[in-house]
Amino acid sequence: MNQRIQKILIISLFAIVFIMFVGYSAFSSKMEIKGIARANTSWNVAIESIAVNEAMTKGRGSNISTVIENGGLIASFQSSLLYPGDIITYDVTVANKGIIDAKLDDIVFEQRNIGDEAKEENLSGEQLVINPIIYHYSGISKDEVLLADHKTTFQVTVQYNPDVDKTPLPEQMKSTSTIILSYIQNTNE
Amino acid sequence: MDKNNNQNKKIILGGLIALVFLLAVGFAAFGSQLTIKGTARVSTAWDVHISSVIPYEFVGSAQDVAHEIGEGGLSAVLETDLKAPGDSVTYDITVVNQGSLPAKLSDIKFHQTQAQEVADQKGYKPSITYSYKGIDTVSDDTKTKLKPGEEVTFQVTVTFTKDFDTTKYTEAQIENELELILTYNQDVE
């Protein structure tokens, strides 16, 4: 009998402990909040076109070719100038086809003459090297902002130096020019 | 003579019975028994859960793709698209105590995948960051404790880092995942 009572007591105690345990566990909640975020952004600033601006072209020079390559990162032109004063002007259009505003961070402009130098004698009799071909750009400046989905057009001019008509010139003259535009993301700072 | 007496007794008895019956009916017809019942129940239900998730503040081109509460209100999912640096979305998340026991926020676990990358790689800059406000484990108000019937609304914000250079980000920086776990226990104080 005692054993029986003991058994009942033990089982009851177990039951009570179990109920208390379940009850205690039930009085607690864990809530989990999950998030996923994606940056679906795109950057696309490139040269869209290069073409002769007839209105700003003078003389008997002519365009030989214009090329856009490397996904719009490089544009090239070749010109032929015949007489001092000849000017050929190119319209170059840069387009921002991404969704992020861009800013022109830097402009690097270089010119290099190829072949024999052209020289001119000054009043003192010194021989000075002159540029028979002059490159020039306009319509664009550092820190300009190019908004997303917008374009900008600037001019590049190549001119036969009008001041060389009295100078003995080499038979052939070549000159190359490079303009490098560096665009960065505009952060509105 | 005896026969008459018996008959009289029967009549009187019948009459009395009828009278009692009439009286009973009349009493019943002229009275109403009013019964008032009451039921009292002691409930120790524990019910703390997420009741709502609402995206309410959008900056830039940010988009809420999806926001859902899981079954039982013990989980929620936020899915967001960000297009440009500076974009952000803020979500209002409400936790309610619909049980009969006071609850206390005992633990907050906050983890995001890009934060781990920052910790692992020196110089790494996260493109997307999550943050939260409006709940903690130390306040004496609803930021920490919820009495039965009370609720708390806190905010989770996801942001595309404003000065992030999108021309250089890596594949790992395209996404960021959030895990925010809130643990509520019974407040026994």
Side-chain angles (χ1 to χ4, degrees):
Chain A
M1 191 66 166
N2 284 338
Q3 279 188 347
R4 189 168 174 236
I5 291 172
Q6 282 176 0
K7 280 183 188 172
I8 293 171
L9 200 58
I10 289 168
I11 291 169
S12 301
L13 284 171
F14 268 119
I16 290 169
V17 168
F18 177 73
I19 290 167
M20 287 174 65
F21 178 77
V22 169
Y24 180 74
S25 299
F27 301 156
S28 175
S29 292
K30 263 192 185 173
M31 281 157 281
E32 187 173 13
I33 296 155
K34 285 194 169 178
I36 180 161
R38 293 179 196 87
N40 287 322
T41 188
S42 78
W43 172 266
N44 186 354
V45 178
I47 298 167
E48 184 178 77
S49 67
I50 177 167
V52 174
N53 182 328
E54 300 290 349
M56 295 174 70
T57 295
K58 298 173 187 175
R60 300 184 197 179
S62 60
N63 172 55
I64 299 173
S65 68
T66 57
V67 175
I68 296 176
E69 53 192 336
N70 203 15
L73 294 181
I74 299 176
S76 312
F77 64 85
Q78 286 191 62
S79 319
S80 174
L81 304 170
L82 296 178
Y83 294 103
D86 283 353
I87 294 177
I88 301 178
T89 299
Y90 294 89
D91 280 338
V92 181
T93 299
V94 175
N96 183 354
K97 294 181 181 175
I99 60 172
I100 299 174
D101 295 343
K103 184 173 80 171
L104 183 52
D105 183 55
D106 194 24
I107 303 176
V108 174
F109 176 51
E110 294 174 339
Q111 176 174 349
R112 189 165 68 95
N113 293 328
I114 299 169
D116 296 334
E117 292 172 331
K119 293 183 181 175
E120 183 178 64
E121 189 175 292
N122 64 8
L123 294 175
S124 307
E126 293 174 86
Q127 294 288 318
L128 302 174
V129 173
I130 63 167
N131 275 334
I133 301 173
I134 302 171
Y135 289 91
H136 180 68
Y137 71 88
S138 62
I140 201 164
S141 57
K142 190 174 175 298
D143 295 330
E144 255 182 32
V145 173
L146 182 55
L147 298 174
D149 200 30
H150 282 68
K151 302 176 185 179
T152 185
T153 300
F154 64 97
Q155 286 71 45
V156 177
T157 301
V158 55
Q159 182 184 32
Y160 196 150
N161 190 342
D163 293 336
V164 302
D165 60 347
K166 298 175 184 175
T167 304
L169 299 170
E171 283 186 12
Q172 260 194 336
M173 292 174 297
K174 266 190 181 178
S175 180
T176 63
S177 174
T178 304
I179 303 174
I180 300 175
L181 308 178
S182 297
Y183 277 92
I184 60 173
Q185 176 184 319
N186 183 37
T187 56
N188 292 323
E189 288 177 3
Chain B
M1 191 71 167
D2 287 334
K3 192 175 176 181
N4 283 336
N5 283 337
N6 281 339
Q7 197 171 5
N8 287 336
K9 283 181 186 174
K10 283 181 186 175
I11 291 169
I12 292 168
L13 189 60
L16 285 171
I17 291 170
L19 184 60
V20 168
F21 178 75
L22 280 172
L23 285 174
V25 169
F27 180 77
F30 299 144
S32 300
Q33 189 175 52
L34 304 177
T35 304
I36 298 158
K37 285 188 176 180
T39 303
R41 196 177 289 121
V42 175
S43 171
T44 57
W46 171 264
D47 184 6
V48 178
H49 63 270
I50 298 168
S51 62
S52 75
V53 174
I54 301 173
Y56 84 94
E57 189 175 274
F58 294 83
V59 175
S61 309
Q63 288 181 332
D64 166 58
V65 176
H67 54 279
E68 295 174 354
I69 299 175
E71 193 173 334
L74 294 182
S75 65
V77 174
L78 320 171
E79 193 175 343
T80 317
D81 260 3
L82 306 169
K83 296 197 182 301
D87 283 1
S88 70
V89 179
T90 298
Y91 294 86
D92 263 353
I93 300 175
T94 301
V95 173
V96 65
N97 183 355
Q98 287 187 334
S100 58
L101 294 171
K104 181 178 176 180
L105 181 56
S106 62
D107 190 44
I108 301 175
K109 279 193 172 50
F110 178 62
H111 174 75
Q112 49 188 321
T113 50
Q114 285 205 20
Q116 187 59 48
E117 292 291 327
V118 171
D120 291 345
Q121 301 177 40
K122 189 179 175 182
Y124 180 99
K125 189 168 185 177
S127 60
I128 303 170
T129 53
Y130 281 97
S131 62
Y132 71 89
K133 66 176 182 180
I135 47 169
D136 59 45
T137 55
V138 296
S139 301
D140 276 335
D141 54 22
T142 55
K143 291 190 190 72
T144 302
K145 298 182 177 183
L146 291 178
K147 294 175 185 171
E150 283 186 340
E151 63 180 29
V152 62
T153 298
F154 64 97
Q155 288 75 42
V156 170
T157 300
V158 55
T159 305
F160 195 156
T161 305
K162 192 173 181 186
D163 59 349
F164 189 81
D165 186 351
T166 57
T167 62
K168 296 175 185 172
Y169 71 135
T170 66
E171 196 171 325
Q173 294 169 297
I174 296 175
E175 276 189 5
N176 192 10
E177 292 184 17
L178 165 73
E179 189 177 54
L180 175 60
I181 301 177
L182 311 178
T183 302
Y184 277 89
N185 292 324
Q186 180 184 349
D187 185 10
V188 295
E189 290 177 11

